[in-house]
Amino acid sequence: MDGADYGVLAAAWAGTAAASLSSDTAFVQSMLDVEAAWVQVQAEAGLCSAEDAQAVDQVASVERYDLRLLASRTPDGANALIPLLGMMRELLAHDNAPASASTALHRGATSQDIIDTALMLVLAKTVAQTQADLRSTADGLAGLAQAHRQTLCIARSLTQHALPTTFGWKAASWLSAVLDAEKQLETASLQLRLQWGGAVGTLASLEQFLADKKSAETSSRQLSSRLAERLGLQDPVAPWHTNRMPILQLGSALGAVIAALGTFGADVLTASRPEVGELSEQREAGKGGSSAMPQKQNPVRSVLLRNAAFASPGLLSTLFTAAGTAVDERPDGGWHAEWSALRELARLAVGAAFHGSFLANGLNVNLEAIGRNLALGGDAVLSERLASVLAPLVPGGKPAIQALVRHSLNEDASLFELLRKEIPEEDLSDDALRELFDPAGYLGAADRFTETILAEYSARKELWQSQN
Amino acid sequence: MDGADYGVLAAAWAGTAAASLSSDTAFVQSMLDVEAAWVQVQAEAGLCSAEDAQAVDQVASVERYDLRLLASRTPDGANALIPLLGMMRELLAHDNAPASASTALHRGATSQDIIDTALMLVLAKTVAQTQADLRSTADGLAGLAQAHRQTLCIARSLTQHALPTTFGWKAASWLSAVLDAEKQLETASLQLRLQWGGAVGTLASLEQFLADKKSAETSSRQLSSRLAERLGLQDPVAPWHTNRMPILQLGSALGAVIAALGTFGADVLTASRPEVGELSEQREAGKGGSSAMPQKQNPVRSVLLRNAAFASPGLLSTLFTAAGTAVDERPDGGWHAEWSALRELARLAVGAAFHGSFLANGLNVNLEAIGRNLALGGDAVLSERLASVLAPLVPGGKPAIQALVRHSLNEDASLFELLRKEIPEEDLSDDALRELFDPAGYLGAADRFTETILAEYSARKELWQSQN
Amino acid sequence: MDGADYGVLAAAWAGTAAASLSSDTAFVQSMLDVEAAWVQVQAEAGLCSAEDAQAVDQVASVERYDLRLLASRTPDGANALIPLLGMMRELLAHDNAPASASTALHRGATSQDIIDTALMLVLAKTVAQTQADLRSTADGLAGLAQAHRQTLCIARSLTQHALPTTFGWKAASWLSAVLDAEKQLETASLQLRLQWGGAVGTLASLEQFLADKKSAETSSRQLSSRLAERLGLQDPVAPWHTNRMPILQLGSALGAVIAALGTFGADVLTASRPEVGELSEQREAGKGGSSAMPQKQNPVRSVLLRNAAFASPGLLSTLFTAAGTAVDERPDGGWHAEWSALRELARLAVGAAFHGSFLANGLNVNLEAIGRNLALGGDAVLSERLASVLAPLVPGGKPAIQALVRHSLNEDASLFELLRKEIPEEDLSDDALRELFDPAGYLGAADRFTETILAEYSARKELWQSQN
Amino acid sequence: MDGADYGVLAAAWAGTAAASLSSDTAFVQSMLDVEAAWVQVQAEAGLCSAEDAQAVDQVASVERYDLRLLASRTPDGANALIPLLGMMRELLAHDNAPASASTALHRGATSQDIIDTALMLVLAKTVAQTQADLRSTADGLAGLAQAHRQTLCIARSLTQHALPTTFGWKAASWLSAVLDAEKQLETASLQLRLQWGGAVGTLASLEQFLADKKSAETSSRQLSSRLAERLGLQDPVAPWHTNRMPILQLGSALGAVIAALGTFGADVLTASRPEVGELSEQREAGKGGSSAMPQKQNPVRSVLLRNAAFASPGLLSTLFTAAGTAVDERPDGGWHAEWSALRELARLAVGAAFHGSFLANGLNVNLEAIGRNLALGGDAVLSERLASVLAPLVPGGKPAIQALVRHSLNEDASLFELLRKEIPEEDLSDDALRELFDPAGYLGAADRFTETILAEYSARKELWQSQN
């Protein structure tokens, strides 16, 4: 039986762009891209011929490689680049490429240069995809926040009903987390750095080559810059073979994205419970249904967001352990542990952003259920307000009022009536008292906060648009 | 570009049995095996026909499925069984199977039954493979411990030279961890349980079917038992849809295996450093070499053991998070996060045991380097002994002797001479004093401990042999 | 400002026995206990005088030490035993103890011996406390399972209503996880091993002492055994300085306990939501209330169980990382990282078992809410059954019935009437059809599973009682 | 036995500023500071009297509270603020403070406001301390990098000798990680935000109060701003009760700091091994010594850095899990799990920066050992260069040269002589050939990279100085 994975056990990202952007196939293609770009940069600098570059380009197609074979050779040198390079050279020979192509190939580079850079290319694509879907998620949440600025609902703490709020502010709170994560991801994307240092981070071999090739007018500095530019990566100030901070910043930002979406999904899961019923995922043909139980509509996308939120923290911890124990000029196992963990984090982020975007842009808001739940606790939900406003008017002050609240709850008695009896009408009219029972009058700064977050979103959105 | 993985980023297990035993292909085959076994059990109980079973068997070959398509449909219901079942039914139709086959297929089961059980099948195989290689690792380590019971070497604490010990006891210490982990894994393998509960863990649908089929003489209890037996899994006392303790026990044992091998690998890495030079991995063609630097032989297998040791703790933490937050009759995301984490742990264990076995059975022990390092600290390495034995004979006791040790180190003076000056020959002869400088006389219970561990190994080994 | 912690930020275990059983004070007392027991063992073997043992005993009270000072000296040698030993010797001098007491103190031991063993003593107590409360939790859950074997309730998967079950089976499922974890903890408690190996695990210094003291009839083997017995710990076959498997087994079992209780707490949290209302924590004076909102009763104990379930996986991962990277004869940082993580895990387990026990033994079950929620989905909740039983009787079979279910849900039409129209009365009487709508008739093996778990509990309970 | 901790099991930060800056005592003082500042802000806005503020200030001293009692009450409401508030009110009564003081106290606030804000105050101090020591670490490393720009040493990959490099570039590489982490920490410190939202993040109670107090000219917006300013925290745009992104950014940055120092410590540990001997920690009285083994000097500070590097990833994973599962308007357990994890991360960062600073500023560089190790591999260390430069001159090219290298290693033959035989002197003079064997000529861009990092350090240092 062959040994391939397709995402069958990775529901959180299977079927999304993560699969094609970050598969082994995509990663090997990225390694090939780095090698080909490097020969191209050399050719442009006159360090090898255009034919060499052309020949290497010919072997830089993943289709030409047997990835099962490649994987099986990976443990020989503890990384995949070493056997890949061998295979590339075999193909060059097979293609009757000039020997100089083989010499120019991988010139002065080390396997860590290629692997780290290829991972950065995979990350660049998955980060971009994540950003796009995260921004679309923000659009959806902003729409919800705006649309529901006046939608009263119950706010809960520690699972219990507490006070009224607006559904708009709830959506704006999700939005605020998404915006924070989106900003962190953008900052982190500046860490998408080329790795270029040669065997031990000195570029000794390349510099020797340039020195011998006295005609060369190009410095190793310039060559690195051109390679970074060609690959669309940051030009690093220096190799970072054992300085794994770029990996940590990127990993942390991806983890933050997943967490921001996880908390959104967690709230939708709660609100989708039949007893709560405030929210439901958009029904889509073939999604979330149960054939045996047609009444059942699973909140699949929220489940997947939670799946991602549970899976990412452990992966992130692997990156930090690896970074904090890196030794010498190349780590002795930590580096190797980064690869899968980092890619899986990126995949989860792509998957989460994809599902989050759908969820945010198609959420059904059940106003009836929201109203019903708000009313569930009766007038007691405003007890904080009543106690605070009426304390001066009721003998015994706050404690007396709180006792009335409890009495009302236990005896199912009207809190209005109980309070009415205690407060002379000359002190407070019926209307004024009744007004205190209106949850719409006790929303505090909910709308101001919503507006603030929406303004932040708008400013951010303008920036995104200006980037395109 | 297609979306398949082959282990290119998973050096720690690529190229080992993990690839074929636990690929998506293998997992899907396991799901098919569970479904087919279930229909077979039904047929034997007269609950469906032999033709039904035969028909389902025909569609239970993973080769008949497009796993890319399957993966892409996985997020629809947040698991792969739902679309797989649809595909199975399509194939039954395509094969012109009797309608009753489709009815018998998956009768009374739920997707969690199939997925959990299929994961258990994958685990059963990977655990067995791990056990085999772990036992072979133990053989190798026991051989080293036995062979080097008299090999003196330096013991180190916090990286520094401390006292003499034997290399045999060092190997026996690795062995003791491997034996502990092996025992834990065997205990955990009793948790390889069938999952069988139907939609909500009541088997209601199956029981209804049996009740309707009044002729049925078989109880759901018996059917579950037969299914477990057929699949080679433990017969559970009850469904464990949200009791994830079996997963935790298995995951912890796999993690322990990886850790036990990790500490072995960590010691080999240190000892392989050119400056230390006490150990080296067996040279194997095509392994660990560097074409650019032929003098360099990387301790590849130890690097891979360390890779596994770094990668597993985060995965294990995911399992515990998922288990501790499971809700309702099926968890809402935690269950989904288990799959990849558990499989990856199993893969790392297979890979680590494979490389550990090679390492243990082919380790080169450089006696010259071991002797050189033991001598590196000179006589000071026995200062604990000298201070303790000679304290009564030297004016000033221990502190005075320690001062002499420091003096000897700082001035590169002979400690023997310094002590000789302080101790009258009538109190201690030259020979007796000289004898105190022999590290072979200060090994304490090292050999007793080695023997004890070896005896434990022998007893254990007898048990393994009796199991075969 | 002084630097002491009291549990103010550790709500999950503050105020429980964890505080006193595992505080720094308790740990330092344990280190003192180990040192004192060791001198006592020596005295009994005639290796030092009874006066020596008496003198050491006098300084083995934690009250005599300034723990702030001790803590501040801890980094000097990277552990607390080194400065503690210095302080002990100062106190011996202050007490005018015989010099031989100071010599007997810590004879042949190393700081790792004392620290590992003291941690084992702390663990022994916290594990015992956890076991006691876990068993009490099991008692409570068994009571619930037994009492509610006939209590119908709705079963949920992926947050959605699925099929009927019994609340008894639900409680039995919690119980099954608790029993599994309890067994694992008992097995792991066999790993509460004495650590005794001297500087590098050879007991060289002790053996030298015994050799010099030719009169000594006692072997180091016997001395270790007696020390283990005196401390109530397992007699290890050999030192385990860098074989950290005992730590992993204990940590994993503690983590399993926390997870088993976490899933119980998670379900109670859901069921405590006002909209669900099926369960509530026992009201206790001063617990869970909100002064500002008297209507609010927070499910505090469940929140604390969840707190523990979230906090433990990361700690466990630290133990595995440390174990998998242990080097030499004493690890260079990993050992040090174990201490806090292991203690915190033990504390969380004590806290979780304490709160779990209260929760299980005082849970309010709201039968009205349970009934209301079961009825919430109307007849559709039995659609699986209807489709399966009636398929042969309705033209179009299962799909037709499922369409009727959807129609009934969308149009709020009576499913009974819709089906009645399709099925001739001669095929199925009104009574027989109506019976199919009774959830009590579709519980499958729920009660059998409950009974099985309860039987397992009873057997286990007998064992517990026999142990006392 | 009382239940206090002093850091006895936390060698990585015990005895550093972490103890006093983040103890429970310090945290409770921070909660008191927030409450006092809030009444002060009210007083300044005319919302209460100066006497009220004065009275609250009188009870805002941690010395007046029994923290053991407070801790024991913490589980009652699952946080420490609730019982603290009760105690504060008792003290106000005891002090005969005006009733209005008690009313102004905690007005409109919720326990999460106080706890989150108090944690931010603790973080602000620990972050500042970390930054200071991190910058001092950078100073030390920059000094090393500058001083050793010409110090040749061997570079290693996967533990094996690879090529020459400079010790200056090695130090600059550590510096680059420290600078990256320092920048990340500074960015994250912008997340030190006030939390102010009232029971459910709407400030409803406060707004009601302001509305009733019609004379009030101050908005809740302004009041929050003034409170933030008074406490030295960022003015948040809105409450972040369930948007835990600020916690994740801070935690990630602290984790990055610990990792950057961990990799430095890991290298020092390796280089401190007696067989390597290139580096040693500054000897300090009472640190790292072993009384029994005076020859032993443990690299204690590096061990503590590694301790921190192992302990932090699990804690960070807890923060991400908690953030990704936050629900409602206050999380039901995740929030509670954050407190200890976040504080412990901060403590580890303070401890690591403290020890890192000492280490970087007092590292002994053993030039003799560095030279010896560089020479250890003989000429083979330059095989990459020789193969590359001499390939055109030797029949058989690179492979032939590599064969000579192997021959030289196996037969202990002079590589110079072997090559000399192959290359006619007219093609390459003796001098020219000999020059190729000089490691100083094969350093590539090592010095350029060192210079670049040092320039980055200088620019950064200027910024730090401008901030003071």
Side-chain angles (χ1 to χ4, degrees), chain A residues 156 169-170 176 180 184 193 201-202 208 220-221 243 249 262-263 267 324 326 328-329 385 442 445 448, chain D residues 156 169-170 176 180 184 193 201-202 205 208 220-221 243 249 262-263 267 324 326 328-329 385 442 445 448:
Chain A
R156 300 160 176 100
W169 171 211
K170 211 172 172 60
S176 75
D180 283 350
Q184 194 182 340
R193 305 186 195 170
T202 60
Q208 177 79 49
S220 67
R221 177 84 197 81
N243 166 10
Q249 273 202 49
T263 186
D267 270 337
D328 298 329
E329 274 67 40
R385 180 193 210 183
Y442 199 61
R448 169 163 70 80
Chain D
R156 299 160 177 100
W169 172 211
K170 208 172 174 62
S176 76
D180 282 350
Q184 193 182 340
R193 304 186 196 171
T202 60
S205 172
Q208 178 78 50
S220 68
R221 178 82 196 83
N243 166 8
Q249 275 203 46
T263 187
D267 271 336
D328 297 329
E329 274 67 41
R385 181 194 209 183
Y442 199 61
R448 170 163 70 80

Side-chain angles (χ1 to χ4, degrees), chain B residues 126-256:
Chain B
T126 47
V127 163
Q129 180 70 42
T130 301
Q131 275 178 317
D133 282 336
L134 204 51
R135 288 167 183 184
S136 154
T137 306
D139 292 342
L141 294 174
L144 284 168
Q146 184 62 45
H148 292 282
R149 286 175 72 162
Q150 311 306 331
T151 305
L152 261 65
C153 71
I154 189 72
R156 303 161 174 97
S157 85
L158 305 185
T159 74
Q160 301 302 295
H161 286 191
L163 292 179
T165 188
T166 67
F167 182 66
W169 171 213
K170 211 173 172 61
S173 174
W174 298 330
L175 176 60
S176 76
V178 165
L179 289 176
D180 283 350
E182 196 273 341
K183 273 180 274 181
Q184 194 182 339
L185 185 59
E186 179 151 55
T187 303
S189 71
L190 298 174
Q191 302 293 329
L192 292 163
R193 305 186 196 172
L194 172 74
Q195 176 73 279
W196 212 247
V200 300
T202 61
L203 287 178
S205 172
L206 177 61
E207 296 255 331
Q208 178 78 49
F209 171 74
L210 293 174
D212 292 351
K213 190 119 181 171
K214 289 187 191 97
S215 65
E217 289 167 14
T218 328
S219 68
S220 69
R221 177 84 197 78
Q222 290 168 312
L223 291 168
S224 303
S225 290
R226 288 183 201 159
L227 181 57
E229 197 187 353
R230 179 175 279 270
L231 294 170
L233 296 174
Q234 299 291 317
D235 184 5
V237 297
W240 44 280
H241 288 177
T242 51
N243 166 11
R244 309 308 287 171
M245 295 303 111
I247 301 294
L248 297 191
Q249 274 202 46
L250 284 159
S252 298
L254 293 167

Side-chain angles (χ1 to χ4, degrees), chain C residues 144-160:
Chain C
L144 285 168
Q146 183 62 47
H148 292 283
R149 287 177 69 162
Q150 311 305 331
T151 305
L152 263 64
C153 69
I154 188 71
R156 301 161 174 99
S157 85
L158 305 186
T159 74
Q160 300 302 293

Side-chain angles (χ1 to χ4, degrees), chain D residues 148 151 278 365-372:
Chain D
H148 292 282
T151 304
E278 300 186 359
V365 181
N366 184 334
L367 296 176
E368 186 274 331
I370 285 179
R372 186 181 63 230

Side-chain angles (χ1 to χ4, degrees), chain B residues 1 4 29 130 132 163 204 208 225-226 239 263 276 315 398 444-445 452:
Chain B
M1 205 179 307
Q29 182 60 60
T130 301
L163 292 179
Q208 178 78 49
S225 290
R226 288 183 201 159
T263 185
V276 180
L315 300 167
K398 266 193 194 189
T452 309

